[in-house]
Amino acid sequence: MNARPAENVDTANIVGHFIAGRDVADDNRPLPVTNPATGQITKHVAMASKSTVEDAIAAAASAFPAWRNTPPARRAKVMFRFKQLLEEHADEIVATLTNEHGKVLDDAMGEFTRGVEVVDYACGIAELLKGEYSKNVGPDIDSWSEFQPLGVVAGITPFNFPAMVPMWMFPMAIACGNTFVLKPSEKDPSAPMLVAHLFKEAGLPDGVYNVVNGDKEAVDTLLEDPRVQAVSFVGSTPVAEYIYATGTKNGKRVQALGGAKNHAVVMPDADIDNAVNALMGAAYGSCGERCMAISVAVCVGNETADEVVSKLKTQLEGLKVGAGTDTSNNMGPLITQAHHAKVRGFVDLGVEEGADLVVDGRSLVVEGHDDGFFLGACLFDRVTPDMRIYQEEIFGPVLCVVRAESQEQAMQLIDDHEYGNGTCIFTRDGEAARYFADNIQVGMVGINVPLPVPVAMHSFGGWKRSLFGDLYAYGPDSVRFYTRRKTITQRWPSGGVREKAQFAFPSNQ
Ligand code: NAD
């Protein structure tokens, strides 16, 4: 698994930036972009300097006044055309996702489609932005609230959903009348660039949507520049915490979505075959590199655990791991060699910590892909809460089975965990399911649904250390996040009535 050294930079093949409707070439500090299935460097990506990011912010700032005043119905027309173009280019975008992220093609299509659904939602912006109106709040006085855009807003996104997560942010931000600067992940930068070109082709005025590739220098510029009004972040918890602290200290509105350790509770009365099928997809889909992946299965009762583990083991024997471009595969490689080493290290650690490694994927070889970042699926049984493999986010194809004696004990485990992104319960008992949904300290809950990722007309967000900020991503919360309320109170005295000076606080007394 040795990627070619980064110094062999093909300067004609460096991903630059998209600023003010134009491609901006850049060879500043290029980092390699790798195809994880082959381990080969396919291109490089430039790391924007502070001044390049400032150019993008300036472009967004100068596009703001006209875009803010564009009627929402006209903004929606651009969104409709954008959605159409996205769908026409779906195969190209999905292939790019697979080549740079590694996920299998149908999984990449799923990601892409869920992103487009947010564009779909943004097409309804004229309805979503409708304000609130009250007539006669006082004599001849009417009052209304309207939702005004903030100005320039920024998004910083992770590697694991290079198309969908940016689309959680910029379509709604832009539909609300803001202008946007995206800083995508440096690991898979090509899909966001493709999408930016399609948005321009849809008729978006130059400067409304900008993409800068980069690292901490770019992010810090966005966090410090006073022209940036709000920041949406999705990524790991330590970085989310940093973004939230720095952005809010600098007076910005911030929503920072972080990491996860999502537990599925399997009750003794559950349809175990269905639960196991669901766990297979939720734990090993996208090689476990999903913030909503199930990484812990809490089985209530030893009999339940024995059956779940034995059936998972059987199913894992048939799991097909290989290049994402081969549509017969279920699971692709991990994103980078470094991440592969980290996840593998967690599997070694689990063995040292005394967990029972029932399925060991460490020795997997994918024929013809010797340099790919493949790791076979791993299954641990008898994991306990004191183990680091239980406490930390592994973000790989590793499922930990924890045995609990009761639903209460299973729920206590979940409530005690530092993360609270997603969870689910498998049961046939409506009362148990209702109690779980009502009381569990987690932001997104599934009942016999392993990946309860809210659809576009709801909003996405976790609790505890999975989200810093108050408002969730996309859906109705995004209208609130990307706008600021203004309340206007207006009087037109009728019949030429002369107003007297009033020294009492105005009321309807
Ligand atoms: P990451 O935190 O390493 O990177 C996310 C973004 O932050 C990238 O654009 C990166 O360039 C930037 N960044 C990284 N280090 C930085 C630093 N020190 N200062 C400033 N910016 C920095 O995350 P990742 O590895 O790309 O993605 C995986 C993580 O994202 C996992 O923890 C996963 O759970 C999380 N995630 C969460 C959600 C959610 O909705 N809660 C969704 C997807 C992924």
Side-chain angles (χ1 to χ4, degrees):
M1 287 193 302
N2 291 316
R4 269 198 295 133
E7 49 273 17
N8 295 338
V9 177
D10 172 3
T11 48
N13 202 8
I14 302 178
V15 182
H17 319 288
F18 186 79
I19 299 175
R22 278 175 292 280
D23 282 313
V24 174
D26 188 2
D27 60 2
N28 187 47
R29 297 192 287 116
L31 286 185
V33 178
T34 311
N35 180 334
T38 62
Q40 297 305 300
I41 294 168
T42 53
K43 54 179 74 163
H44 284 75
V45 57
M47 296 295 101
S49 64
K50 189 173 194 299
S51 74
T52 305
V53 180
E54 285 171 346
D55 289 348
I57 297 170
S62 72
F64 176 63
W67 186 245
R68 171 197 194 277
N69 289 326
T70 302
R74 284 204 201 150
R75 291 185 218 142
K77 278 197 170 146
V78 178
M79 286 293 164
F80 274 114
R81 179 77 188 119
F82 178 43
K83 173 175 145 55
Q84 204 176 9
L85 286 169
L86 284 167
E87 284 165 352
E88 283 167 19
H89 290 79
D91 288 342
E92 187 188 350
I93 295 167
V94 162
T96 306
L97 295 174
T98 293
N99 285 336
E100 289 187 5
H101 176 278
K103 60 181 74 178
V104 297
L105 285 168
D106 62 350
D107 185 31
M109 185 57 94
E111 150 176 13
F112 172 74
T113 306
R114 290 301 291 267
V116 174
E117 282 173 12
V118 181
V119 179
D120 218 5
Y121 182 73
C123 290
I125 195 63
E127 172 72 21
L128 296 169
L129 274 183
K130 274 200 314 205
E132 300 157 353
Y133 185 85
S134 298
K135 192 176 164 73
N136 282 338
V137 294
D140 294 328
I141 301 175
D142 306 326
S143 183
W144 72 92
S145 288
E146 58 188 43
F147 298 95
Q148 299 196 343
L150 305 176
V152 179
V153 299
I156 301 152
T157 52
F159 79 82
N160 64 322
F161 287 109
M164 180 181 79
V165 170
M167 286 199 266
W168 283 1
M169 303 172 180
F170 72 81
M172 281 305 293
I174 288 174
C176 285
N178 302 284
T179 55
F180 203 93
V181 180
L182 175 74
K183 206 302 283 173
S185 170
E186 63 280 19
K187 298 191 177 95
D188 37 23
S190 299
M193 295 296 276
L194 260 170
V195 167
H197 282 95
L198 296 179
F199 213 177
K200 178 182 165 84
E201 199 183 324
L204 191 75
D206 291 347
V208 175
Y209 184 48
N210 308 275
V211 182
V212 286
N213 283 296
D215 53 11
K216 187 167 164 48
E217 182 176 341
V219 170
D220 285 343
T221 307
L222 293 169
L223 292 175
E224 280 154 21
D225 195 295
R227 291 169 293 183
V228 175
Q229 301 295 314
V231 176
S232 298
F233 171 86
V234 175
S236 60
T237 286
V239 184
E241 216 167 6
Y242 167 76
I243 302 275
Y244 187 76
T246 314
T248 51
K249 188 182 77 189
N250 291 335
K252 299 181 196 317
R253 188 180 285 188
V254 181
Q255 55 177 188
L257 284 68
K261 193 85 177 176
N262 306 307
H263 296 53
V265 175
V266 187
M267 297 292 286
D269 69 329
D271 177 332
I272 300 290
D273 288 324
N274 270 346
V276 166
N277 286 339
L279 286 173
M280 284 293 295
Y284 302 107
S286 205
C287 212
E289 292 172 324
R290 289 181 183 146
C291 64
M292 289 291 277
I294 293 293
S295 47
V296 180
V298 188
C299 298
V300 175
N302 277 323
E303 259 178 57
T304 313
D306 290 343
E307 191 179 351
V308 166
V309 169
S310 141
K311 287 185 166 164
L312 280 170
K313 189 169 182 259
T314 307
Q315 288 226 18
L316 283 169
E317 282 159 17
L319 186 81
K320 287 199 68 190
V321 185
T325 46
D326 177 344
T327 52
S328 69
N329 287 327
N330 308 122
M331 190 174 101
L334 287 160
I335 182 75
T336 57
Q337 193 171 0
H339 190 55
H340 180 279
K342 180 179 162 196
V343 176
R344 210 196 132 98
F346 267 114
V347 181
D348 298 342
L349 177 68
V351 174
E352 278 167 39
E353 289 183 314
D356 182 3
L357 185 57
V358 179
V359 177
D360 182 357
R362 286 174 296 180
S363 56
L364 173 90
V365 176
V366 176
E367 229 171 277
H369 289 269
D370 299 346
D371 293 332
F373 311 136
F374 292 98
L375 182 70
C378 297
L379 175 65
F380 278 112
D381 190 7
R382 299 185 186 278
V383 174
T384 52
D386 55 312
M387 295 179 183
R388 276 184 55 207
I389 57 162
Y390 173 77
Q391 292 160 356
E392 296 179 31
E393 183 182 44
I394 298 175
F395 223 53
V398 182
L399 177 62
C400 297
V401 173
V402 177
R403 293 170 177 240
E405 283 166 15
S406 63
Q407 179 179 359
E408 286 295 338
Q409 198 191 15
M411 288 174 65
Q412 194 61 52
L413 272 173
I414 298 171
D415 290 351
D416 288 346
H417 204 285
E418 67 169 311
Y419 296 120
N421 214 37
T423 187
C424 75
I425 187 168
F426 294 102
T427 182
R428 289 180 167 113
D429 179 343
E431 187 187 349
R434 191 169 186 272
Y435 180 78
F436 182 83
D438 194 25
N439 291 286
I440 204 74
Q441 298 299 299
V442 172
M444 293 171 283
V445 180
I447 297 164
N448 298 316
V449 171
L451 294 177
V453 178
V455 290
M457 66 289 253
H458 290 264
S459 296
F460 181 110
W463 286 12
K464 297 186 272 181
R465 287 171 57 74
S466 292
L467 185 143
F468 302 88
D470 303 305
L471 290 166
Y472 281 18
Y474 64 83
D477 270 16
S478 64
V479 179
R480 292 291 172 267
F481 185 78
Y482 293 122
T483 60
R484 155 181 306 141
R485 176 188 288 266
K486 182 177 279 182
T487 305
I488 297 131
T489 305
Q490 165 179 275
R491 166 185 265 176
W492 294 107
S494 53
V497 173
R498 180 70 48 223
E499 287 175 37
K500 292 194 190 114
Q502 267 197 37
F503 296 97
F505 195 69
S507 77
N508 277 314
Q509 224 178 13

